[in-house]
Amino acid sequence: MNDRPHDEAMIELYRKDPEFARQVINSILEDENGDQGELLVILRQMAGAFGGVQAIAAQAHLNPTQIYRTLSPEGNPALSSFSAILKAMGLRLAVLPMNAPSTHA
C-alpha cells in the first residue's frame, strides 16, 4: 500500500469533488462548536485543490505570505481576506437564519 500525507489526499479529493469541499465547510460553519482552526485547515487544503496558494493569492489580489499566515492553524483572517480567498475559489459567504433548513445536504 502506498501511504501519502493526509493533506495530499484531501487536496485530491477536493479537486475531484469541489461540491464535497463546500459541504464540509458548511458543516463546520453550522456546528455550534465549529473550530476555526478546522475551517482554516480545510481552506488551506482547498487552496491546494484550486491551484495552490500562489494561484489563489493572484486571484484574490493578496500576498501569498499573507494567505499562508491567514490559513495557518493560528490564523485569524480578516473578513476581507477570508472573502477574497473564498471568491478566488468560486465561493462566497452567505447569511442565513439559524432555523433555516440545511441547504448543503
Side-chain angles (χ1 to χ4, degrees), residues 70 76-83:
T70 297
N76 190 13
L79 182 58
S80 59
S81 297
F82 187 65
S83 294

Side-chain angles (χ1 to χ4, degrees), residues 21-41:
R22 188 185 66 80
Q23 290 174 1
V24 170
I25 288 173
N26 279 329
S27 69
I28 293 168
L29 292 172
E30 287 176 359
D31 183 353
E32 290 179 15
N33 301 316
D35 180 358
Q36 179 175 316
E38 184 180 10
L39 178 64
L40 296 175
V41 166

Side-chain angles (χ1 to χ4, degrees), residues 30-82:
E30 287 176 359
D31 183 353
E32 290 179 15
N33 301 316
D35 180 358
Q36 179 175 316
E38 184 180 10
L39 178 64
L40 296 175
V41 166
I42 301 301
L43 288 173
R44 191 171 58 250
Q45 292 167 342
M46 285 181 64
F50 283 85
V53 170
Q54 297 288 336
I56 296 298
Q59 292 176 0
H61 305 290
L62 297 171
N63 181 308
T65 302
Q66 179 183 3
I67 291 181
Y68 281 113
R69 286 184 188 140
T70 297
L71 299 181
S72 75
E74 298 81 30
N76 190 13
L79 182 58
S80 59
S81 297
F82 187 65

